Amino acid sequence: MSMQTRRDFLKLAAMASGAAALLPETIQRAYAIDPAPGSTFLDAEHIVILMQENRSFDHAFGALQGVRGFNDPRTIPLANGNSVFVQTDAAGHSYAPWRLDIRDTRITWMGSLPHSRQSQVDAWNEGQHDGWLEAKRSGEKGYSDIPLTMGHYTRDDLPFYYALADAFTICDQNYCSVMTSTSPNRSVFWTGTIRDQQRADSKAHIRNEQIDDGGMTWKTFPERLQEAGISWKSYQNELTRSGLSGEDEAWLANFSDNVLECFNAYNVEAHPGFAPACQHLLSELSIEATRIEAEIAAQTDEGAPAKLRARLADTRSRIEAVKAAEAGSGKTRYEQLTAQEKALHHAAFVTNAEDPDYHTLHTLPFEDNGKPKTMQVPKGDVLYQFRKDVNEGKLPTVSWLTASERFSDHPSSPWFGSWYVSEVMDILTRNPEVWKKTIFILTYDENDGYFDHQPSFVAADPKRPETGGASTGIDTGLEYIYKGDEVRQGVEENEARSGPIGMGFRVPMIVASPWSRGGWINSQLFDHSSTLMFLEQFLERKAGKSVREENISAWRRAISGDLTSVFRPYEPKEAALDWVDRSKFFVSIEKARFKEPPSNFRKLTAEQIDQINRAPSHSGLIVRQEAGIRPACALPYELYADGNHSEDGLHFELCLRAADQAHGSQAAGAPFNVYLRNTKSPSAKCGKLISATYAVRAGDTLTPQIPLSMFADSGFEIEVLGPNGFYRSFRGKSNQSPLVVRTVYERQGAKLTGNVLVHLSNPSQETVGVAVEDISYKSKPVTRRIKAGEQASVVMDLKPSHSWYDFTVKAETSDAVARYAGRVETGMHGFSDPLMGGVV
């Protein structure tokens, strides 16, 4: 059970303090500041949003109590039959997740892993989810043989983040929006799209450089706020285009993470730092041009320099473009702006220029094993203007924060970000009147190269119906891009990929507010567009302002939630936690620089892999999560996936439904990933496993027909995965089953009871014995004998398991077995999966 009392929370805090000497006070203060009882998130007046960098959910929180992490019993099947937690490289070496010690090894100083478009698509591998070790191999010398992608942290490594999750609400079905790197994901975060226009034939800016070079023209959400008269600001210490370099840039600039700099509407060229930044960039480009010229001169093969000459021409073209931009920049450009353009410019590029030390580092001395050492840290306040606005009551309705590289949590930099997040919370909670009406959203742009076991829910390829589909009116082509498109945009052919634009892989998200506290979990499917949809809902319901992000595709709106399920009316609860001590924390991370690389990974033998596959929950070879369950938010899901033979006996028909009866207008649509195992189709990849993906709008049903001729003689194997542990499997021979099975959720009047009702029909000419057997939550098995042509029903009583279920249905005269698992969403709050929590 999640902690519910001050005593429990203090006990946890003491454990965290002993582990890492980082006991933040911030959350204790947050719990001492109470809004009015019964108030809701609509009583908030400030939304503060911080997107950090490049961490997958499992990598950061897979070991946390209650989340769908390393104890997940219902996961994607790999083609080779192994658990998804056992990944194998091209040489046949297999590894499971292993712990990265952030202080006793130098892991946080070992750089980033590949996270370009091609590495993300290759890890996904057409839905096989088995390309991680090869696609994510470190490019750093000396680290390429370490399976870093499978590395993860625990509470001992990230005590502040775990405590933040224990205090508020963590979202464990939150996916990055685009299967690629930073800037496209941040584009969806700010604008809802990566396309010039909302047509499948428009340019998709799916790589960093396609956005970072600027010139973006489509409308952004902050512009819509401005037009609606909603106050907003985007805070950072300094812009990317600031002229800073080296350590100064790493600590003090915004790491190119405010993509509003790339949109013409904001006129970044008018910023005072733009000209010095141009000079710095011109110097770098000139060095690059000279280097390419030297390479060309050194070539002996006349045909070899063709690509080098193309790169040289591109570099020279960029030099001329930068020169042209610099010529009309700064004050000259600013004076040409209209009042509206100036307002956008100021709101987008709020810096700490009023702090005289905002461009300055200073020396922090410390001792390491008795030896005096120093490190450079910011002299000024990197949150100066944000702090000032909070303290003076000038915080706008919507605020975006952008950290510097050193504070961004990006693996290319040591993990100093915990202090930054703690300081944001400290600033907000030091002013009780502000915190009483504030929602703070912490999320991450993408997963870097770190493994996450949950499959991506992606858009189907409209040119290949076998890859899935969507409800009528949803154009999945808008969320798909082809290799040819990339090549035409100048991407090298060996790097170009066909594949879905989104979604990418799971990333952390924690929502901290008076209406989301208490150590809860939310397992509705979200992505970066969800934050924009939340702002839409918040402004419509609170202020009566219609601010709609037109760039969000129908596919995303059908399956991504709007975050409103995260919040609950305020109820007094207690907890305690302290803020992170800046100097002590900085030094602890700096000291890790001088440690050895981590080496506690294990190359698994065939026997060990077999042990994991047979009983992963009992294997000491797989990392385990913290024991226990936590309160779980009510979700607006009423999902069904039944499967039966078609009337002609030639197909297996799935019925994928996102019903809207139980939750009405609040009902959510959902994606379903379908896996076909044991196929004999020549199109099947990777061990005869085929995957398809379906997006079902709320109130709709899709009924894909799967030809039984696709499967080998040993029979069909079909698995369906949805959000929050929703799982179905159907196995058997191709001959028709004597039983038709349909599941529904039991009702009393208009409300769901939390039980599952299994309808059994016998269309055959003989009496059939049926067994319904619980395989996870220890309910007693139920048997029925159903006469020819008759029907029967079985009620699965799920009260002891908090409405979680996992059972099989089998007719005694058939080898066919159907398995149903998930959680019944009654509209009431519940608890996380007790099977994962080890309390069954």
Side-chain angles (χ1 to χ4, degrees), residues 282-298 311-312 315-316 319:
L282 283 172
S283 176
E284 290 183 340
L285 290 172
S286 296
I287 293 171
E288 173 71 3
T290 301
R291 187 186 63 78
I292 298 173
E293 288 169 351
E295 284 189 53
I296 293 173
R311 283 173 53 197
L312 179 60
T315 303
R316 287 173 173 168
I319 288 173

Side-chain angles (χ1 to χ4, degrees), residues 667-679:
F672 297 92
N673 284 346
V674 176
Y675 301 93
L676 311 181
R677 189 186 292 277
N678 197 37
T679 68

Side-chain angles (χ1 to χ4, degrees), residues 157-208:
D157 305 296
L158 307 175
F160 179 79
Y161 285 123
Y162 271 61
L164 195 66
D166 288 338
F168 295 103
T169 298
I170 186 166
C171 303
D172 72 345
Q173 298 285 269
N174 179 54
Y175 289 75
C176 69
S177 290
V178 190
M179 197 177 288
T180 187
S181 47
T182 289
S183 296
N185 276 291
R186 288 178 180 261
S187 178
V188 175
F189 177 64
W190 290 92
T191 78
T193 189
I194 62 169
R195 288 194 182 273
D196 282 321
Q197 301 175 50
Q198 294 312 293
R199 302 193 321 265
D201 61 351
S202 66
K203 180 178 179 179
H205 298 72
I206 203 160
R207 293 175 182 264
N208 280 354

Side-chain angles (χ1 to χ4, degrees), residues 71 73-74 624 629 775-777 806 819 832-840:
N71 290 7
R74 296 181 283 275
R624 309 307 297 161
I629 58 177
I775 61 176
S776 293
Y777 300 102
D806 188 357
R819 179 182 173 188
S832 61
D833 191 340
L835 181 61
M836 289 196 306
V839 296
V840 176

